[in-house]
Amino acid sequence: MHSLTRRKLLKTAAAGGLAAATAPLAMPAIAQNGPVKVGAVLPFSGGLELFGNQAKLGLDLAVKEINAAGGILGQPLEVLYEDNKTDPKTSVERTTKVIQRDEVMAVVGPITSNARDAMAPTCKRMKTPLLYATNYEGGACDRYIFCFNTVPNQELAKLLPYMNEQAGQSYYMFGADYIWPQRMFQAADGIVQALGGEVKGIEFTPWGVKEFAPVIRRIADSGAKVLVFALPGADGITFIKQAESFGLLKDVTVAFLGFSEAYLGAFGPGGGQNMWVAVPLVASSDNPGVQDFVARVRANASDDVVISHYVMTHYNALSALKEGLEAKGEMSREAAVDGMEGLILETPTGPSSIGAADHHVTLNMYLAKTEGEGLVTVDDLGALAPEAGCGA
């Protein structure tokens, strides 16, 4: 009897050991007391820090205002900033760190699509919401991903018809050699063809190019009247400066995808004029909600800080997290996901809805152009629903 009992215990222990070995890793628990932590994995070096700094302005304001109003379910909100160095591998390392060590409720970021795609499997495996507030090519569809900025149809569907009517029907497309420009140009090509326009050329460039004279000559020689441009960060600034020196922009109108007002100071006095965009926020708008938002950002940062739509979309991301958690009344990652699905969020530009199935956002969009030291609104495009690309 004793021997039989002992064998039974050993068998039970062995089965338990096997179960422990094959069970998925336990997810870190969210602290029920103390601050609600969010990891912000963003570029503060590596070439795209312009965007990381814009994101931080919005996140900092959201933290201040949420905490002043009592926090989230009575607990203060805290953002833990991590520099991903504009690098996918570093992005994964920093994401793993904030989820496992810091036990964050959600991760905000990054900027580039390749960094997002690198981070997404970690967030999915660890069941942690990824709040992505950068304009992108669409197709990032998962229970644990929420996208708060534009996809191609929101940025291109009204911009290119306006270019076709006002600037000309011949196009050249030039951008960085990675997924966002590639997918944006695919969408743009289809719109141009439907408009009866002609694409004279499509080119991509690797990061870090310093001399753009050869491609500028090719664009000029093509006779194109519109340049659809998707080269972000310092490389894009360098290209525009050289194109202006060459005289290209006297004859070619730039439709600048992913444009941010933060670019303009880098072009120098009088530089970067008459470039066209479709964006979810124009900081110079006379919309009372936008004016109030801009004033609050500047009061929290400085009077001369530049404000772009990246500030608002990252602010919106934390606002959505708060509203989602409070809608469910529960402090957990799953509650955050469930609460944000289908949420109608009040934003500086008006109500914005998060898709219950695709987790992409209907945005109030504006056609604008660069003028002086900022953007000016040309047309209020109204609320544009996203074509998220989840079936692609």
Side-chain angles (χ1 to χ4, degrees):
M1 183 72 175
H2 176 77
S3 174
L4 192 62
T5 303
R6 184 172 180 273
R7 286 198 299 271
K8 184 176 179 181
L9 288 171
L10 287 172
K11 184 177 180 181
T12 301
L18 179 61
T22 57
L25 291 174
M27 296 300 105
I30 300 298
Q32 297 302 305
N33 296 298
V36 180
K37 297 178 183 178
V38 173
V41 180
L42 292 161
F44 298 110
S45 63
L48 294 183
E49 51 268 32
L50 176 152
F51 300 99
N53 291 329
Q54 286 284 292
K56 188 174 186 297
L57 288 171
L59 297 175
D60 285 349
L61 179 64
V63 170
K64 178 182 178 181
E65 293 185 349
I66 288 170
N67 287 340
I72 301 176
L73 295 174
Q75 295 178 220
L77 175 62
E78 179 182 356
V79 172
L80 308 176
Y81 288 101
E82 295 286 346
D83 182 8
N84 74 351
K85 303 180 181 179
T86 318
D87 173 64
K89 183 175 182 292
T90 303
S91 300
V92 175
E93 292 170 353
R94 299 293 188 266
T95 300
T96 303
K97 172 186 172 185
V98 295
I99 295 174
Q100 289 191 329
R101 188 195 71 180
D102 299 314
E103 300 178 359
V104 297
M105 179 68 67
V107 176
V108 179
I111 295 297
T112 62
S113 291
N114 57 359
R116 182 202 64 245
D117 288 344
M119 292 162 59
T122 299
C123 290
K124 181 175 183 176
R125 185 174 66 254
M126 297 186 178
K127 298 183 177 181
T128 304
L130 177 61
L131 313 181
Y132 188 57
T134 300
N135 52 297
Y136 88 114
E137 67 281 352
C141 305
D142 184 80
R143 172 170 170 78
Y144 296 99
I145 298 178
F146 288 79
C147 299
F148 292 90
N149 210 318
T150 60
V151 291
N153 75 291
Q154 292 168 307
E155 197 165 347
L156 296 169
K158 299 291 182 73
L159 173 63
L160 292 184
Y162 191 89
M163 293 290 94
N164 208 62
E165 180 180 336
Q166 300 294 324
Q169 296 183 318
S170 54
Y171 297 77
Y172 207 100
M173 303 186 190
F174 181 61
D177 192 9
Y178 77 106
I179 189 170
W180 172 66
Q182 292 164 2
R183 295 282 181 85
M184 292 297 286
F185 290 173
Q186 287 176 11
D189 185 58
I191 294 171
V192 169
Q193 300 301 330
L195 291 168
E198 180 183 5
V199 176
K200 298 285 190 176
I202 299 177
E203 283 194 52
F204 300 98
T205 181
W207 294 107
V209 172
K210 303 299 182 186
E211 179 54 64
F212 291 103
V215 70
I216 291 171
R217 291 192 187 96
R218 288 192 291 274
I219 295 168
D221 291 345
S222 76
K225 292 301 181 183
V226 178
L227 172 61
V228 181
F229 186 64
L231 182 58
D235 291 4
I237 292 167
T238 299
F239 175 89
I240 293 295
K241 285 181 174 180
Q242 292 180 14
E244 287 182 323
S245 297
F246 188 87
L248 178 70
L249 304 192
K250 294 177 181 177
D251 301 312
V252 176
T253 301
V254 178
F256 199 138
L257 309 185
F259 182 83
S260 161
E261 286 98 326
Y263 278 112
L264 280 171
F267 295 136
Q273 299 299 293
N274 195 39
M275 298 191 297
W276 292 76
V277 295
V279 288
L281 176 96
V282 178
S284 67
S285 170
D286 58 6
N287 179 316
V290 173
Q291 290 182 332
D292 179 63
F293 178 70
V294 167
R296 286 165 19 225
V297 174
R298 289 185 170 148
N300 195 50
S302 68
D303 289 340
D304 59 353
V305 72
V306 175
I307 298 168
S308 73
H309 63 93
Y310 294 99
V311 180
M312 183 189 73
T313 57
H314 285 82
Y315 174 91
N316 290 348
L318 287 189
S319 297
L321 179 66
K322 168 186 164 62
E323 295 297 327
L325 286 167
E326 293 190 339
K328 292 300 176 181
E330 178 186 325
M331 196 65 76
S332 73
R333 294 173 179 140
E334 298 299 331
V337 171
D338 292 340
M340 287 188 289
E341 289 182 337
L343 181 70
I344 297 177
L345 185 68
E346 288 299 326
T347 79
T349 61
S352 183
S353 59
I354 301 174
D358 62 34
H359 296 180
H360 287 64
V361 179
T362 296
L363 291 163
N364 302 297
M365 296 294 297
Y366 304 89
L367 178 69
K369 67 175 181 176
T370 57
E371 187 176 290
E373 297 181 354
L375 282 176
V376 295
T377 303
V378 176
D379 193 15
D380 182 340
L381 303 176
L384 295 182
E387 295 173 9
C390 293

